[in-house]
Amino acid sequence: MDTEYRALQQGSSSSWCTADASSWGAAQQQKRQRCQGSSSDQVGSSSSSSLKISEPEPQQIQEEEEEEEDYYMEEDCDDDDDGYDEDDYDFDEADFNQHLADKFDDLDLPPGVEATVPWLQKIAPKEEAKEPPKSNTADENVNKFTQFKQFDTVQNFSDHHYAENSHGEPNRAWSKRVQHDWKLLEKDLPAYIYVRVAEDRMDLLRAAIIGPKGTPYHDGLFFFDVHIPPTYPSGPPVVYYHSGGLRINPNLYETGKVCLSLLGTWSGRGCENWNPAQSTMLQVLVSIQALILNDKPYYNEPGYESYANDPQGERLALDYNDRTFLYSCRTMLYSLRRPPEHFADLVAGHFRVHGHIILAACKHYMAGNDIGSVVPEDEEESEYKSGDAGASSSSSSAPKPKPGVIKAIPPNRRSSCSFNPSLKVLYEDLLMEFNVKGADTRKFIVEKLKKKQPAAT
């Protein structure tokens, strides 16, 4: 009976091993390696040997079954110790690759190996997604510029030219008159004049005036600090111009002095002088804008007005405009780099909006046109508006001159050969500053890059 049982057992065992020997043997080898911490080389050799396993003897099967029982008993004990549950394990390939790569940091591998082995490549740490900024600098400049009031009050001026002047305790009549002027400024300020007054120092005022079109001051920003003395309104206010050391007008000195009969700094007649009963701060600012920042400032010089209709006087006036525009460009740079207190938003927004036309004007003037002449639109826009879309001949398809555009004048008109080189340098500086402020400079940057490209051979 025992003999038959052993034969039956051997026969059944032999058929079972013959059917599943390879898969069973490989599984057992892997379990032993996990428990005993075998090396990667051992895994390879054991796996290969298990695939060639022959029909085992009954005694060998029994021993392997006992080892299997011991193996699972050890595994259960380990699970009890660390609380590990294989079903709960979530394999993270990135962590696994990173762990393997860390072990190979100190190895001297041939160049390029890291690129072909995934787990030798460092895994970049995950970063939390950040919300993109709601608005860029250019948009902020525009928003602040559009919201910049023509008249407003501020707490004080720390950089005001007359901040150190002692103003004492204002009397009631003086305060009432100053507040009256404030109301006029708030209500009747013309376009292109911006004013800030100080609550803590009613005697201080700052004004920014944008240069009028058609003048060498066009699109520029000019700043004036005003001090209202205790004698006001019996006497006129005191005005200081932020010159940056430039004599930009016969009436605006490099020292900051403003020469105007209304201010008592120049002789005048009748209504040109200060009238305590009628003159106001509004009148002072409008006079600076209209009488000083004009299209032919050369004739502001005393006695020069008699040459207005003389060819020689006209040539000198045009030369003066050339020099004035160069100074105006330098004043723009001065204001961009050192904007006066409480006017930084105006400076950034103004040149962000008007930077394109200023750069176009520079190129227009370097082409030989008079300062203050009308600057044509972009060439593509002009052709689209004035060209004949249905014409086929070259003569009929040529763009027509735009009304109001002054044609280029002979290049020998300018007596100074330094105008174009000087303006070219200023143009490059303005292009950089306007680009920082977010102005539309794309066209000019493209032109600059094209000029730097080597000529095709």
Side-chain angles (χ1 to χ4, degrees), residues 76-114:
D76 292 342
C77 293
D78 293 340
D79 291 344
D80 293 338
D81 291 339
D82 57 13
Y84 172 78
D85 188 356
E86 187 173 355
D87 294 336
D88 296 336
Y89 177 72
D90 185 13
F91 178 72
D92 190 336
E93 184 179 358
D95 291 343
F96 179 71
N97 288 343
Q98 183 66 55
H99 177 69
L100 291 177
D102 291 340
K103 292 183 178 182
F104 284 81
D105 281 346
D106 297 330
L107 295 181
D108 187 13
L109 298 177
V113 172
E114 294 86 346

Side-chain angles (χ1 to χ4, degrees), residues 60-251:
Q60 180 182 359
I61 297 174
Q62 185 175 1
E63 292 176 354
E64 288 176 347
E65 289 177 348
E66 292 176 356
E67 290 177 359
E68 181 180 0
E69 292 178 357
D70 294 339
Y71 169 75
Y72 282 113
M73 289 178 64
E74 293 175 1
E75 189 175 44
D76 292 342
C77 293
D78 293 340
D79 291 344
D80 293 338
D81 291 339
D82 57 13
Y84 172 78
D85 188 356
E86 187 173 355
D87 294 336
D88 296 336
Y89 177 72
D90 185 13
F91 178 72
D92 190 336
E93 184 179 358
D95 291 343
F96 179 71
N97 288 343
Q98 183 66 55
H99 177 69
L100 291 177
D102 291 340
K103 292 183 178 182
F104 284 81
D105 281 346
D106 297 330
L107 295 181
D108 187 13
L109 298 177
V113 172
E114 294 86 346
T116 60
V117 184
W119 45 267
L120 284 179
Q121 301 174 10
K122 290 293 183 181
I123 306 301
K126 297 180 179 179
E127 296 181 359
E128 295 183 0
K130 298 181 179 180
E131 293 185 1
K134 296 183 179 179
S135 60
N136 55 30
T137 304
D139 293 335
E140 290 178 359
N141 289 341
V142 173
N143 292 336
K144 292 178 180 179
F145 176 60
T146 56
Q147 297 172 8
F148 196 85
K149 299 179 181 179
Q150 274 196 274
F151 178 89
D152 203 358
T153 58
V154 296
Q155 195 68 27
N156 208 331
F157 292 103
S158 61
D159 65 339
H160 199 282
H161 182 73
Y162 299 106
E164 301 299 326
N165 285 28
S166 176
H167 62 292
E169 187 67 24
N171 58 59
R172 184 176 179 181
W174 181 90
S175 299
K176 186 176 179 179
R177 176 57 192 266
V178 171
Q179 289 176 353
H180 171 72
D181 277 13
W182 285 8
K183 291 180 181 179
L184 288 177
L185 292 171
E186 185 175 13
K187 179 184 176 182
D188 298 327
L189 266 179
Y192 309 120
I193 297 181
Y194 297 83
V195 172
R196 292 295 179 267
V197 295
E199 293 180 349
D200 291 352
R201 291 284 302 271
M202 291 181 64
D203 62 312
L204 301 182
L205 178 150
R206 174 168 288 164
I209 300 178
I210 299 176
K213 296 290 184 181
T215 73
Y217 308 101
H218 70 84
D219 300 301
L221 276 175
F222 307 95
F223 291 92
F224 300 86
D225 283 355
V226 180
H227 168 61
I228 304 176
T231 57
Y232 188 83
S234 299
V238 182
V239 181
Y240 171 85
Y241 165 61
H242 287 256
S243 68
L246 303 173
R247 181 77 181 273
I248 202 170
N249 187 284
N251 299 80

